Amino acid sequence: MLVVMQEGAEEAQIQSVIDRLVEMGFTVHRSTGVTHTVLGGVGPVDHFEPADFEVMNGVKECHRIVSPYKLASHNFKPGGTVVRLGNVEIGGNKVISMAGPCSVESAEQIERAADIVAKAGAQVIRGGAFKPRSSPYSFQGMGEEGLKLMRKAADRHGLLVVSEVMDHTQIPLLLTYSDILQVGARNMQNFNLLRELGRVRKPVLLKRGISATIEELLLSAEYILSGGNYDVILCERGIRTFETYTRNTFDVSAIPVLKRLTHLPVMGDPSHGTGKRDYVLPMARAAVAAGADGLIVEVHHDPDRAISDGAQTLRPEQFAEMMQQVRAIADAIGRAA
Amino acid sequence: MLVVMQEGAEEAQIQSVIDRLVEMGFTVHRSTGVTHTVLGGVGPVDHFEPADFEVMNGVKECHRIVSPYKLASHNFKPGGTVVRLGNVEIGGNKVISMAGPCSVESAEQIERAADIVAKAGAQVIRGGAFKPRSSPYSFQGMGEEGLKLMRKAADRHGLLVVSEVMDHTQIPLLLTYSDILQVGARNMQNFNLLRELGRVRKPVLLKRGISATIEELLLSAEYILSGGNYDVILCERGIRTFETYTRNTFDVSAIPVLKRLTHLPVMGDPSHGTGKRDYVLPMARAAVAAGADGLIVEVHHDPDRAISDGAQTLRPEQFAEMMQQVRAIADAIGRAA
Amino acid sequence: MLVVMQEGAEEAQIQSVIDRLVEMGFTVHRSTGVTHTVLGGVGPVDHFEPADFEVMNGVKECHRIVSPYKLASHNFKPGGTVVRLGNVEIGGNKVISMAGPCSVESAEQIERAADIVAKAGAQVIRGGAFKPRSSPYSFQGMGEEGLKLMRKAADRHGLLVVSEVMDHTQIPLLLTYSDILQVGARNMQNFNLLRELGRVRKPVLLKRGISATIEELLLSAEYILSGGNYDVILCERGIRTFETYTRNTFDVSAIPVLKRLTHLPVMGDPSHGTGKRDYVLPMARAAVAAGADGLIVEVHHDPDRAISDGAQTLRPEQFAEMMQQVRAIADAIGRAA
Amino acid sequence: MLVVMQEGAEEAQIQSVIDRLVEMGFTVHRSTGVTHTVLGGVGPVDHFEPADFEVMNGVKECHRIVSPYKLASHNFKPGGTVVRLGNVEIGGNKVISMAGPCSVESAEQIERAADIVAKAGAQVIRGGAFKPRSSPYSFQGMGEEGLKLMRKAADRHGLLVVSEVMDHTQIPLLLTYSDILQVGARNMQNFNLLRELGRVRKPVLLKRGISATIEELLLSAEYILSGGNYDVILCERGIRTFETYTRNTFDVSAIPVLKRLTHLPVMGDPSHGTGKRDYVLPMARAAVAAGADGLIVEVHHDPDRAISDGAQTLRPEQFAEMMQQVRAIADAIGRAA
């Protein structure tokens, strides 16, 4: 840790900072410059708040040197993590595609979705059984019945299943039916949920919150990793900015940034990222061109009649076209899809 | 609902929108202008997504006319809600103060906190027993033991208790020890939690998420209200913006906006709003001047040694000064404090 | 225009809105619903502020139906604008590349830059002669001497020149030396400058401001177009958000959105968009994959010694690699580069 | 400056950073810790970009120690700057009020405005003669004629004049008619304009840009101060965030932050800060409670018929009420108004 004292800080103030650092277990190096004294704290302590020092008298600013996450950092596993599910590898050379409706609505609907998804060559079907909806009056999902229907449809078409867990009490149910457990954007900092997922032995797809920094996303991954579950897949799905033309601003640059900061696989969700069907194709291409290990998108046999998220849901023929374009882009950068 | 068609939209496109509106249960009024056709949908249906229409061919834009929340709207109770706890009224003429440490740390600490809070004239003690921390390595709270200690300290000093519930499974515990159940910013859209709190018969202090719009805050309140719990207190505590000098941007203007849109009491939290102790006083004054019904702030007998949030925690003498200043401001606008 | 009255709005309030609409020149259609009265204003008037109606008594909200820009809208020229400069076409099938140093620093430096740019196959050299710097103590550019040097270097290598004009008084100077006049992000709403550029007969590269909405960018383009200069090229270069890991958030989705809303060519600037050299390549690929008509990036023979913007400036070999990758992506989506 | 090397950085990488620091004129102190080597650079050089070091191999991060602004910093003049115009003092104990219409529209209108402003006890009249409008089709101001009318009206009522200068070529005109030259939010980084205003000997009211950080505002002030004009008044007027209910988010906390960082007077503009008339009063109170040295608001004898900004413009009686309330708040915190 580095504490920069203000110009003209008094000796007593400097001593007071040193005392506190020592009290916390740091070894302190003092360096006196022309205008500023800088104190370097070295030691085993890394869970302090820089802000706690910044409010001390005479302190100008304080910087954390060591990253607050460890298991999620690139250095921890420089070769990169590949999440394996049967013969599907997430984080390898091949770009993986997950697709399906926003919500499971009926046996027929999810069966048709599985057919569309499998035929176009995707590996994983997605679908929500428990829906986080901002209005209490909106459809809240089919629950376990929806999971059962999706599992059956997936099995018939040789697909894996990813579905959202909204709460730690739902984990056992999801483990029964789903191959990958998704943590939605609103739950990225539901720490009780994250902690419990650390004890699970199935992969977790962790979506970035709409106002979460990249560092916060990695700290949330650290919760799961520190519990012993190493199969965490990150997903960029749009952040909230002043621009309202798109539902969110799909932060494509987070993809190469994450690929550099962490060893975990990184996916992109252009459906939530843009909120509008017509922008899903170009942004799916952009995400893959930027280095995404996979995509997750919404598709429905009749999006105009989808119960939720219809506006951002692809029509079957658009999805097939997207898969073709994604293969062309993957090929152009030396990957498969 | 209003659907504005694009300039030159074809008759078939217009008809297709009308058909869908009728199918959903709307009565449709068509109005043909020089450049645009506008379709007005009137009916019992208000839980649709404007975006679903905006992606239809020939549609320019779609506007929801009816607010998506009802029980939370000002019209529902124009006189305003007053939450009563013994002889404390939140939402009345008197500005209420809640204060205490970020976390309950020990019997001695919470006892000293209760003493400071009561002596300065505040009505409610706050303190966290379960702490949502962005790092898995940080202190996670004392749990039930912390709640017990805080309850005892509060009772000794005639204070009410507010404490955070992180999860619906913690509700019974919080009901045992706390007078007001706080929903933290990260949980503002934890819909399972909100739904369960609707069944509770104690007041809920609902904090605005750092990236939540005012409308989303009111929709979250609606979840609780629609379950039958009418004692919801809203709290502005800072939003995330590009400015990083303060921890968050304390959106003071949300206070008068909420006072106009809803009948619920509105509080301000300048501790989290600014993240730095030295700005809590001026921003506490600003919140009250803007019309807040109460304040919630962090105070500790020795903030330099607080386990969490020390930087934004007031010293005892600063808190006493804040209470005096708040009384002066309240007086200047014709309120008590 | 549509004015939605509040539930229970009084007749006198409704009449007062109607009177004001008529006074402004609108023909008014009144439609009375179960809960809300809606007033539609049709007429020649489109430069009003919806907010002016929203503060009237009894009004719930007001929506503008007609876009506030016309000449910049896609409908105005559905075939798309192609800006032609000799045999270079911006907005056609070929993806155009503009590259060069942040600032012109010396004859040798700009000559080496022109060599790098031309050899890698780009069409336009960029370089600043007048630098908008946030600190008054930073290098402010070589001025006219810099423009002369860049013109000569460009001519020797068969390149076009783009350079920034900071002020309407600099227009004559830029017209002498530059083929394309760039309006920087900070000047996107310098309306005096925009107005004067409407009278110029050279193309203008208009960069999006870091906090400008897409609509505001199009309104700024409208200033230039309405003066009679139809050769406007738009450029996304990053917006300011809460995420600080990258210098800005490169809003890639603005590219397909703009391609739909306007007929003007759209470029991307991944150098300013990310602020870090190592992210320029993946984001250049992403911009082209998303549909950009061109790229503008910074390259320098020795970025570690560049006077300004070194961190986001490519090394020569990185630039050559970028050009190859961009060609592969362009090819994958059926374009040339 | 502090450069923190990555864990495991190679000696050659460290040496390369040291070489570059020395080459730039820094004296380097090296400190080797358990995990990280830290290099401290001390010297006369403060106009470097931390990002330039952050992209060097082996570097983890780089921190600037010395503030990039000097003349604007609080230390430069700890007693605070008081701008004096006749017997009006801006930055003293008395809270100063500036008010008037958005645009000067006619002799009668500005005369009535001056009457309203003077009667309510404000000291300065505001009014725009050159209007920065986002649409080229909107009213662009009366120009010099407007300035003449405002000067006459001000003189008749013993008021000072503040008006906006959009461009450095307009400075002479503004100097003729206005006592204070306003730099609007869109021009906060128009560096040519700022530089010229440094040569002027009249006070400048510098408004914060809607996406400008507090540090950028102070750097813009530094431009003016470094030219020799020490009479700079800062003004918070709302920043752009995701919240759209208010036109901008009025960053009230910027007021106490600026009062701590700089010696310059700080004002608040709740009209632009909120964009809606009904929120101007509570936010004017909040700004003064937070420590503002003055307010600037819009008032018009008939805001419903104002040519521009009517929605955020106070009616005469609202303005009179605001002045009374502001006096009560000022009194409560020991100031006059």
Side-chain angles (χ1 to χ4, degrees):
Chain A
M1 200 213 358
L2 294 172
V3 181
V4 182
M5 303 300 298
Q6 288 169 0
E7 207 173 327
E10 293 163 23
E11 187 54 35
Q13 293 171 335
I14 296 171
Q15 198 54 50
S16 161
V17 175
I18 292 175
D19 290 349
R20 186 157 177 204
L21 285 167
V22 169
E23 186 185 332
M24 288 178 72
F26 285 108
T27 303
V28 181
H29 295 266
R30 175 174 178 165
S31 138
T32 310
V34 178
T35 53
H36 294 273
T37 292
V38 176
L39 304 172
V42 176
V45 190
D46 42 351
H47 309 303
F48 65 95
E49 280 302 315
D52 288 349
F53 286 87
E54 285 181 348
V55 294
M56 290 185 74
N57 291 329
V59 173
K60 184 170 182 297
E61 55 197 44
C62 178
H63 302 286
R64 190 195 292 277
I65 292 178
V66 182
S67 292
Y69 51 86
K70 304 203 177 316
L71 307 176
S73 75
H74 193 269
N75 281 350
F76 186 75
K77 198 173 174 183
T81 285
V82 175
V83 173
R84 288 185 175 80
L85 281 157
N87 53 5
V88 172
E89 295 187 346
I90 305 170
N93 183 61
K94 189 168 179 173
V95 176
I96 299 301
S97 295
M98 310 184 179
C102 175
S103 309
V104 183
E105 300 170 8
S106 70
E108 191 212 337
Q109 173 245 23
I110 196 69
E111 172 62 26
R112 293 179 73 165
D115 190 51
I116 295 161
V117 168
K119 278 206 179 119
Q123 294 83 5
V124 186
I125 187 167
R126 59 147 290 154
F130 302 97
K131 300 303 305 173
R133 305 300 298 276
S134 46
S135 165
Y137 308 117
S138 298
F139 175 63
Q140 311 270 327
M142 286 185 76
E144 184 169 6
E145 179 61 18
L147 288 172
K148 270 188 204 166
L149 296 174
M150 181 160 54
R151 181 75 264 171
K152 279 187 201 160
D155 289 344
R156 267 193 294 269
H157 293 84
L159 295 168
L160 295 166
V161 166
V162 59
S163 195
E164 180 167 351
V165 51
M166 277 180 65
D167 201 281
H168 67 88
T169 62
Q170 295 176 345
I171 292 178
L173 199 59
L174 268 293
L175 285 176
T176 307
Y177 298 104
S178 189
D179 301 295
I180 305 172
L181 278 64
Q182 176 181 316
V183 176
R186 288 187 187 82
N187 269 323
M188 195 202 83
Q189 295 196 315
N190 182 333
F191 302 117
N192 287 354
L193 173 59
L194 298 178
R195 201 177 295 113
E196 293 303 318
L197 287 172
R199 302 192 179 124
V200 158
R201 287 302 164 266
K202 281 200 173 177
V204 174
L205 177 67
L206 178 64
K207 290 195 153 188
R208 180 183 185 188
I210 58 166
S211 65
T213 62
I214 288 171
E215 182 171 297
E216 287 168 341
L217 172 60
L218 291 172
L219 277 165
S220 287
E222 188 86 4
Y223 260 91
I224 304 173
L225 297 167
S226 67
N229 184 352
Y230 291 102
D231 284 344
V232 177
I233 305 157
L234 304 175
C235 184
E236 160 63 30
R237 48 81 80 208
I239 58 175
R240 183 162 275 182
T241 70
F242 65 82
E243 178 59 71
T244 54
Y245 190 86
T246 42
R247 180 169 163 185
N248 295 293
T249 297
F250 189 39
D251 183 7
V252 181
S253 58
I255 296 168
V257 168
L258 283 167
K259 292 302 290 177
R260 168 163 300 230
L261 294 180
T262 182
H263 54 86
L264 299 169
V266 180
M267 298 185 56
D269 174 351
S271 297
H272 288 87
T274 63
K276 291 184 182 169
R277 186 185 301 152
D278 291 332
Y279 301 120
V280 173
L281 264 76
M283 297 314 289
R285 295 192 309 251
V288 174
D293 294 310
L295 294 172
I296 180 165
V297 298
E298 292 183 339
V299 62
H300 189 288
H301 70 275
D302 183 5
D304 293 339
R305 277 162 186 75
I307 293 184
S308 52
D309 272 3
Q312 69 191 34
T313 299
L314 294 176
R315 304 184 189 287
E317 63 277 15
Q318 287 177 310
F319 177 62
E321 191 186 344
M322 184 199 91
M323 290 296 289
Q324 282 188 323
Q325 294 186 356
V326 161
R327 271 188 282 268
I329 297 284
D331 190 57
I333 59 169
R335 296 182 76 158
Chain B
M1 200 210 3
L2 293 173
V3 181
V4 181
M5 302 301 296
Q6 287 169 359
E7 205 172 330
E10 294 163 23
E11 187 55 34
Q13 293 172 333
I14 296 171
Q15 197 55 48
S16 162
V17 175
I18 293 175
D19 290 350
R20 187 157 177 205
L21 285 167
V22 169
E23 186 185 333
M24 289 178 72
F26 284 108
T27 303
V28 182
H29 295 268
R30 176 174 179 165
S31 136
T32 309
V34 178
T35 52
H36 295 273
T37 292
V38 176
L39 304 172
V42 177
V45 190
D46 41 353
H47 309 303
F48 65 94
E49 280 304 315
D52 288 349
F53 285 88
E54 286 179 347
V55 294
M56 292 185 75
N57 290 330
V59 172
K60 184 170 183 294
E61 55 196 45
C62 177
H63 302 286
R64 192 195 290 280
I65 292 178
V66 181
S67 293
Y69 51 86
K70 305 206 173 316
L71 307 176
S73 74
H74 194 270
N75 281 350
F76 186 76
K77 199 172 172 185
T81 285
V82 176
V83 174
R84 287 184 175 80
L85 281 157
N87 53 6
V88 173
E89 295 187 346
I90 305 170
N93 183 60
K94 190 168 179 173
V95 177
I96 299 301
S97 294
M98 310 185 178
C102 175
S103 309
V104 183
E105 299 169 10
S106 71
E108 193 212 336
Q109 174 246 22
I110 197 69
E111 171 63 27
R112 293 179 72 167
D115 190 52
I116 294 162
V117 168
K119 278 206 178 118
Q123 294 84 3
V124 186
I125 187 168
R126 60 147 288 151
F130 303 97
K131 299 303 304 174
R133 303 301 296 276
S134 46
S135 165
Y137 308 116
S138 298
F139 175 64
Q140 312 270 328
M142 287 184 76
E144 182 169 8
E145 179 61 19
L147 289 172
K148 269 187 204 166
L149 296 174
M150 183 161 52
R151 180 76 264 170
K152 279 187 202 159
D155 289 344
R156 267 194 294 270
H157 293 85
L159 294 169
L160 295 166
V161 167
V162 60
S163 196
E164 180 167 351
V165 52
M166 277 179 65
D167 202 282
H168 67 87
T169 62
Q170 295 177 346
I171 292 177
L173 200 59
L174 267 293
L175 286 176
T176 308
Y177 299 104
S178 191
D179 301 297
I180 306 173
L181 279 62
Q182 177 181 316
V183 176
R186 290 186 187 81
N187 270 323
M188 194 202 85
Q189 294 196 316
N190 182 332
F191 302 117
N192 287 354
L193 174 58
L194 299 178
R195 201 176 296 112
E196 292 303 317
L197 287 171
R199 301 192 180 125
V200 158
R201 287 301 164 268
K202 281 199 172 178
V204 174
L205 177 66
L206 178 65
K207 289 194 154 189
R208 181 184 183 187
I210 58 167
S211 64
T213 61
I214 289 171
E215 181 171 297
E216 288 169 341
L217 172 60
L218 291 172
L219 276 166
S220 287
E222 188 86 4
Y223 260 91
I224 304 172
L225 297 167
S226 67
N229 184 350
Y230 292 103
D231 283 344
V232 177
I233 305 156
L234 305 175
C235 184
E236 159 63 30
R237 49 81 79 207
I239 58 173
R240 183 161 274 182
T241 70
F242 65 83
E243 178 60 70
T244 56
Y245 190 87
T246 41
R247 181 171 165 183
N248 296 292
T249 297
F250 189 40
D251 182 8
V252 181
S253 58
I255 297 168
V257 168
L258 283 167
K259 293 301 291 178
R260 168 164 299 230
L261 294 180
T262 181
H263 55 87
L264 299 169
V266 179
M267 298 186 55
D269 175 350
S271 297
H272 288 87
T274 64
K276 292 184 182 167
R277 187 186 300 153
D278 291 334
Y279 302 121
V280 173
L281 264 76
M283 298 313 290
R285 295 192 307 253
V288 174
D293 295 309
L295 294 172
I296 179 164
V297 299
E298 292 183 339
V299 63
H300 190 286
H301 70 276
D302 184 4
D304 293 339
R305 278 162 185 76
I307 293 184
S308 53
D309 272 3
Q312 69 190 34
T313 299
L314 294 175
R315 304 183 189 289
E317 63 276 16
Q318 288 176 311
F319 177 63
E321 192 186 343
M322 185 199 90
M323 290 296 290
Q324 283 188 322
Q325 294 186 357
V326 160
R327 273 188 282 267
I329 297 286
D331 189 58
I333 58 169
R335 295 182 78 157
Chain C
M1 200 211 0
L2 293 172
V3 181
V4 181
M5 302 300 297
Q6 290 169 358
E7 207 173 328
E10 295 163 22
E11 187 55 34
Q13 293 172 334
I14 296 171
Q15 198 54 50
S16 160
V17 175
I18 293 175
D19 290 350
R20 186 156 176 205
L21 286 166
V22 170
E23 187 185 332
M24 287 177 73
F26 284 107
T27 303
V28 182
H29 296 267
R30 176 174 180 166
S31 137
T32 308
V34 178
T35 53
H36 294 274
T37 292
V38 176
L39 304 172
V42 177
V45 189
D46 42 354
H47 308 302
F48 65 95
E49 280 304 314
D52 287 350
F53 285 87
E54 286 180 346
V55 294
M56 291 185 75
N57 290 329
V59 172
K60 183 169 183 297
E61 55 197 45
C62 176
H63 302 286
R64 188 195 292 280
I65 292 178
V66 182
S67 293
Y69 51 87
K70 304 204 175 319
L71 306 176
S73 74
H74 193 271
N75 282 350
F76 186 75
K77 199 172 172 185
T81 284
V82 176
V83 173
R84 289 184 174 81
L85 280 158
N87 52 4
V88 173
E89 295 187 346
I90 305 170
N93 184 60
K94 189 168 180 174
V95 176
I96 298 303
S97 295
M98 310 185 180
C102 175
S103 307
V104 183
E105 299 169 9
S106 71
E108 193 213 336
Q109 174 247 20
I110 197 68
E111 171 61 27
R112 292 179 72 165
D115 191 51
I116 294 161
V117 169
K119 279 207 178 117
Q123 294 83 5
V124 186
I125 187 167
R126 58 146 290 152
F130 302 97
K131 299 304 303 175
R133 303 302 296 276
S134 45
S135 164
Y137 308 116
S138 299
F139 175 64
Q140 312 270 328
M142 287 183 75
E144 182 168 9
E145 179 60 18
L147 288 171
K148 269 188 202 165
L149 296 174
M150 182 160 53
R151 181 75 263 170
K152 279 187 201 161
D155 289 344
R156 267 195 293 270
H157 293 84
L159 295 168
L160 295 167
V161 167
V162 59
S163 195
E164 180 168 350
V165 52
M166 279 179 64
D167 202 281
H168 67 87
T169 61
Q170 295 176 345
I171 292 178
L173 200 58
L174 268 294
L175 285 177
T176 307
Y177 298 104
S178 190
D179 301 297
I180 305 172
L181 278 63
Q182 177 181 316
V183 176
R186 290 187 186 80
N187 269 323
M188 194 201 85
Q189 294 195 316
N190 182 333
F191 302 117
N192 286 354
L193 173 58
L194 298 177
R195 200 176 296 113
E196 292 304 317
L197 287 171
R199 300 190 182 127
V200 159
R201 287 301 164 267
K202 282 200 173 178
V204 174
L205 177 66
L206 178 64
K207 290 194 152 188
R208 181 183 183 187
I210 59 167
S211 64
T213 62
I214 288 171
E215 181 172 297
E216 287 168 341
L217 172 60
L218 290 172
L219 277 167
S220 287
E222 188 87 4
Y223 260 91
I224 304 172
L225 297 167
S226 67
N229 184 352
Y230 291 102
D231 283 343
V232 177
I233 305 157
L234 304 176
C235 184
E236 161 62 30
R237 49 82 78 207
I239 58 173
R240 183 161 274 184
T241 70
F242 64 82
E243 178 59 70
T244 56
Y245 190 88
T246 42
R247 180 169 164 184
N248 296 293
T249 297
F250 188 40
D251 183 9
V252 181
S253 58
I255 296 169
V257 168
L258 283 167
K259 292 301 291 179
R260 168 164 299 229
L261 294 180
T262 181
H263 55 86
L264 299 170
V266 179
M267 298 186 57
D269 174 350
S271 298
H272 288 87
T274 64
K276 292 184 182 169
R277 187 186 300 152
D278 292 332
Y279 301 120
V280 173
L281 263 77
M283 297 314 290
R285 294 193 307 254
V288 173
D293 295 309
L295 294 172
I296 180 164
V297 299
E298 292 182 342
V299 62
H300 189 286
H301 70 276
D302 184 4
D304 293 339
R305 278 162 185 77
I307 294 185
S308 53
D309 271 4
Q312 69 191 34
T313 299
L314 295 175
R315 303 185 190 288
E317 63 278 15
Q318 288 176 310
F319 178 62
E321 192 186 343
M322 185 199 91
M323 290 296 289
Q324 282 188 322
Q325 294 186 356
V326 161
R327 272 187 283 267
I329 297 285
D331 189 56
I333 58 170
R335 296 182 77 156
Chain D
M1 199 210 0
L2 294 172
V3 181
V4 182
M5 302 301 298
Q6 289 169 359
E7 207 172 329
E10 294 163 23
E11 186 56 34
Q13 293 172 335
I14 297 171
Q15 198 53 50
S16 161
V17 175
I18 293 176
D19 290 350
R20 186 158 177 202
L21 286 166
V22 170
E23 187 185 330
M24 287 178 72
F26 284 107
T27 302
V28 181
H29 295 267
R30 176 174 177 166
S31 138
T32 309
V34 178
T35 52
H36 294 272
T37 292
V38 176
L39 303 173
V42 177
V45 190
D46 42 352
H47 309 303
F48 65 95
E49 280 303 315
D52 287 349
F53 285 87
E54 286 181 346
V55 294
M56 290 184 76
N57 290 330
V59 172
K60 185 170 183 296
E61 54 196 46
C62 178
H63 301 287
R64 190 195 292 278
I65 292 177
V66 182
S67 293
Y69 51 87
K70 302 202 177 319
L71 307 176
S73 74
H74 194 269
N75 282 349
F76 186 76
K77 200 173 174 183
T81 285
V82 176
V83 173
R84 288 184 175 81
L85 281 158
N87 53 5
V88 173
E89 295 187 346
I90 305 170
N93 183 61
K94 189 167 180 175
V95 177
I96 299 301
S97 296
M98 310 184 179
C102 174
S103 309
V104 183
E105 300 169 9
S106 70
E108 192 211 337
Q109 172 246 23
I110 197 69
E111 171 62 27
R112 292 179 73 165
D115 190 51
I116 295 161
V117 169
K119 279 206 177 119
Q123 295 83 5
V124 186
I125 187 167
R126 60 147 289 154
F130 302 97
K131 298 304 303 174
R133 304 301 296 276
S134 46
S135 164
Y137 309 116
S138 299
F139 175 62
Q140 311 271 328
M142 286 184 76
E144 183 169 6
E145 179 62 18
L147 288 172
K148 269 189 205 166
L149 296 174
M150 181 160 54
R151 181 75 263 171
K152 279 187 201 158
D155 288 344
R156 267 195 293 271
H157 293 84
L159 295 168
L160 295 167
V161 167
V162 59
S163 195
E164 180 168 351
V165 52
M166 278 180 64
D167 201 282
H168 68 86
T169 61
Q170 294 176 347
I171 292 178
L173 199 58
L174 267 294
L175 285 176
T176 308
Y177 298 105
S178 189
D179 300 296
I180 305 173
L181 278 62
Q182 176 181 317
V183 176
R186 290 187 186 81
N187 269 323
M188 193 203 84
Q189 294 197 315
N190 182 333
F191 302 117
N192 287 354
L193 172 59
L194 298 178
R195 199 176 297 112
E196 293 303 317
L197 287 172
R199 301 191 180 125
V200 157
R201 289 300 164 268
K202 281 200 173 177
V204 173
L205 177 67
L206 178 64
K207 290 195 154 189
R208 181 183 184 188
I210 59 166
S211 65
T213 62
I214 288 171
E215 182 172 296
E216 288 169 340
L217 172 60
L218 290 172
L219 276 166
S220 287
E222 188 86 3
Y223 260 92
I224 304 172
L225 296 167
S226 68
N229 184 352
Y230 293 101
D231 283 344
V232 176
I233 305 156
L234 304 175
C235 184
E236 160 64 30
R237 48 80 81 208
I239 59 174
R240 183 162 274 183
T241 71
F242 65 82
E243 178 60 69
T244 55
Y245 190 87
T246 41
R247 180 169 164 184
N248 296 293
T249 296
F250 189 39
D251 183 8
V252 181
S253 59
I255 295 168
V257 168
L258 283 167
K259 291 303 290 179
R260 168 163 301 229
L261 294 180
T262 182
H263 55 87
L264 299 170
V266 179
M267 298 186 56
D269 174 351
S271 297
H272 288 86
T274 63
K276 292 183 183 170
R277 186 186 301 153
D278 291 334
Y279 301 120
V280 173
L281 263 77
M283 298 313 290
R285 295 193 307 253
V288 174
D293 295 309
L295 295 171
I296 179 164
V297 299
E298 292 182 340
V299 62
H300 189 287
H301 69 276
D302 182 5
D304 293 339
R305 278 164 184 75
I307 293 185
S308 52
D309 272 3
Q312 68 190 36
T313 299
L314 296 175
R315 303 184 190 287
E317 63 277 15
Q318 287 177 310
F319 177 63
E321 191 186 344
M322 184 199 91
M323 291 296 289
Q324 282 188 321
Q325 294 186 356
V326 161
R327 270 187 283 267
I329 297 285
D331 189 56
I333 59 169
R335 296 183 77 157

